[in-house]
Amino acid sequence: SSGINAEYGDFEKLVKLGIALEGAIGLARYGKIYRGDKSKFAKQFGLAGLIIYMDAADYAPGGVLIMPDGPGLPPSGIQRGTLKEGLGDPSTYLYPSTKYAYHASPEEYEKLLPGIVVMPISFQNALPLLGNMKGDDVEEEWQGAGNKTITNYKYGPGFANNSNQKKLRITVNL
């Protein structure tokens, strides 16, 4: 699939810019809205998948020491957590997930899950993707820590012809 820069999950802005979202894989920054909402909106806008990364501009801004010496996240750091709506285990909504608890059917609890493949990656893994996208440079408010110093963030879709990156693919092994 072609890659697009989805910033914090602003898919409406990408549509207004005329960027095709159907079947694309979005690259979105953690922050501003809940990661589960990013995945829900990505599905609503027709994306095939979503890759979410932690931009150093948000999690280790200039001058902040990175772990273990300070609170900043190192470039290799990855955030993890749930994407589902609601509390607790989706199969035992609002109740502890025990052997004897009522467990909803997969059809019942799947509506609490995002419905597309979502994968977290580190900032250092996101930079080559961001740096090889084609399209127009992103506006000022979409610039992250890698913008201008390492690479110019672009909207996409797709990747520059001179890059080794041609398409994005998320593989799920069960």
Side-chain angles (χ1 to χ4, degrees):
S1 293
S2 66
I4 57 151
N5 183 346
E7 181 58 0
Y8 292 107
D10 193 350
F11 302 107
E12 289 179 357
K13 171 140 190 125
L14 295 171
V15 169
K16 287 178 186 172
L17 291 170
I19 296 172
L21 303 182
E22 190 69 36
I25 295 177
L27 191 61
R29 288 166 72 167
Y30 275 104
K32 293 204 178 178
I33 66 171
Y34 169 56
R35 63 185 163 263
D37 288 338
K38 289 180 202 308
S39 62
K40 179 173 72 174
F41 299 149
K43 182 180 180 187
Q44 288 173 356
F45 279 90
L47 275 72
L50 189 64
I51 298 172
I52 307 177
Y53 70 97
M54 312 266 304
D55 197 295
D58 301 319
Y59 293 93
V64 172
L65 294 174
I66 61 169
M67 295 176 196
D69 301 318
L73 190 73
S76 60
I78 298 173
Q79 186 182 118
R80 62 184 192 148
T82 187
L83 298 171
K84 74 173 189 65
E85 295 181 28
L87 303 171
D89 184 314
S91 71
T92 59
Y93 185 66
L94 294 177
Y95 294 97
S97 182
T98 62
K99 179 178 178 180
Y100 299 104
Y102 167 77
H103 287 262
S105 70
E107 294 79 25
E108 290 177 283
Y109 68 76
E110 279 178 356
K111 53 189 159 194
L112 299 172
L113 302 173
I116 62 169
V117 178
V118 181
M119 180 177 163
I121 65 171
S122 68
F123 181 58
Q124 73 184 20
N125 288 18
L127 277 176
L129 299 173
L130 292 164
N132 286 309
M133 282 194 175
K134 60 183 177 180
D136 295 333
D137 288 351
V138 299
E139 60 190 56
E140 184 75 28
E141 66 185 39
W142 279 36
Q143 293 178 6
N147 204 52
K148 299 200 187 255
T149 57
I150 300 169
T151 184
N152 286 330
Y153 289 10
K154 300 196 179 297
Y155 291 110
F159 296 95
N161 294 332
N162 62 348
S163 77
N164 291 331
Q165 186 71 43
K166 300 297 178 206
K167 290 189 176 218
L168 283 177
R169 177 176 55 201
I170 300 175
T171 304
V172 179
N173 295 312
L174 299 176

